[in-house]
Amino acid sequence: MTDAAALPGQPRGGVLTGPATARAVNVLAPNPSAMTLDGTNTWILSEPGSDLAVVVDPGPLDDGHLRHVVDTAEQAGKRVALTLLTHGHPDHAEGAGRFAELTGTRVRALDPALRLGDEGLAAGDVITVGGLELKVVPTPGHTADSLSFHLPADQAVLTGDTILGRGTTVVAHPDGRLGDYLDSLRRLRSLTVDDGVHTVLPGHGPVLEDAQGAVEYYLAHRAKRLAQVETAVEDGYRTPTEVVAHVYADVDRSLWPAAELSVRAQLDYLDEHGLI
């Protein structure tokens, strides 16, 4: 068995659902799959001693899960006062409308189509609820609307699908762009270097204890894959399907459709930079 501390980002072992930091509790959605890992992490955030909470990514439209999130907050003496979305993929956001009905909250997101209420989210926004402070960090690349949330008091960052607790994520072409994604990883790295962030609270998978190690691993992985795709094109593999079959031969074939999205994003990046 591999020691978790030896894995990229030092994933925390044990049960995924429950307290993760002093201010963050995870409620795992019952939607496990090859793409969602153990399921979607729905985060309840609250300042200790406060009776107000923020929920990030209510998850899929699963009434049992959504009610469980509300119950978990209420059992801790908290009332959900605001709902936030890291991005609009259904496994994170499909249940947001129903969750808003259950809690009477607004839903704030970067994409206006996902919002309920007048306020959206933008780079540099600082959200305060019951003494809790969250800073909005733009992290496009997985999708154009992807955001992360910096939780300074816990030296943590909620990354949605930008960084996962296990494995690597998809650059979801054409909405996701590799250049944007690399910039986002560098932005997250600056949080670890300049702002003391050491914990990643991801959208899927376990909590990561070594945020900087996780970011460095992601950057190295992307550089390696990009070089492999460039070489594959030079060797005559022209279509995204051909490149996937060559470069991702060691990856479960059920994941090849997702890998093809990333390959398309990589091919666009190489073309834009005159490398192919």
Side-chain angles (χ1 to χ4, degrees):
M1 181 177 293
T2 303
D3 182 357
L7 296 173
Q10 296 182 16
R12 186 182 297 175
V15 179
L16 296 177
T17 290
T21 69
R23 293 165 180 80
V25 173
N26 182 34
V27 181
L28 183 65
N31 62 332
S33 72
M35 292 297 294
T36 60
L37 305 182
D38 309 276
T40 300
N41 293 335
T42 295
W43 292 102
I44 302 173
L45 309 177
S46 182
E47 192 67 18
S50 172
D51 63 353
L52 299 178
V54 174
V55 166
V56 177
D57 289 351
L61 185 54
D62 180 310
D63 215 59
H65 170 65
L66 300 175
R67 290 182 182 277
H68 183 39
V69 174
V70 175
D71 290 345
T72 300
E74 290 180 346
Q75 288 166 11
K78 315 285 185 182
R79 177 178 65 83
V80 179
L82 179 64
T83 302
L84 304 175
L85 297 177
T86 61
H87 65 297
H89 279 167
D91 56 311
H92 293 258
E94 187 181 31
R98 174 59 177 151
F99 190 72
E101 292 177 0
L102 292 173
T103 58
T105 60
R106 296 165 294 148
V107 177
R108 295 181 64 180
L110 179 61
D111 184 349
L114 299 171
R115 301 171 189 168
L116 290 176
D118 297 329
E119 288 187 280
L121 292 171
D125 283 353
V126 178
I127 299 162
T128 55
V129 174
L132 180 81
E133 181 182 277
L134 286 173
K135 297 180 179 180
V136 178
V137 181
T139 48
H142 169 67
T143 60
D145 69 330
S146 287
L147 298 171
S148 295
F149 298 102
H150 178 200
L151 180 55
D154 284 348
Q155 296 178 296
V157 61
L158 291 87
T159 55
D161 282 357
T162 299
I163 291 180
L164 306 178
R166 186 170 66 251
T168 56
T169 197
V170 173
V171 179
H173 181 275
D175 185 45
R177 296 175 56 83
L178 180 59
D180 291 342
Y181 186 67
L182 294 174
D183 288 343
S184 293
L185 291 177
R186 296 182 189 110
R187 192 170 296 118
L188 290 172
R189 180 170 59 185
S190 75
L191 287 181
T192 72
V193 174
D194 301 329
D195 296 279
V197 167
H198 57 70
T199 302
V200 173
L201 305 177
H204 303 279
V207 172
L208 299 178
E209 305 281 10
D210 177 16
Q212 186 172 353
V215 175
E216 296 291 358
Y217 172 77
Y218 266 61
L219 284 166
H221 171 79
R222 283 295 163 200
K224 178 182 177 181
R225 283 298 193 206
L226 190 61
Q228 290 173 328
V229 169
E230 184 177 4
T231 299
V233 173
E234 291 172 352
D235 290 344
Y237 298 92
R238 297 301 181 190
T239 69
T241 301
E242 290 172 345
V243 173
V244 169
H246 179 68
V247 173
Y248 291 80
D250 60 337
V251 174
D252 187 331
R253 292 179 68 96
S254 69
L255 297 175
W256 281 14
E260 184 168 323
L261 297 179
S262 286
V263 164
R264 289 179 181 275
Q266 290 171 91
L267 291 172
D268 279 359
Y269 180 88
L270 291 169
D271 183 53
E272 290 162 6
H273 289 78
L275 299 173
I276 57 172

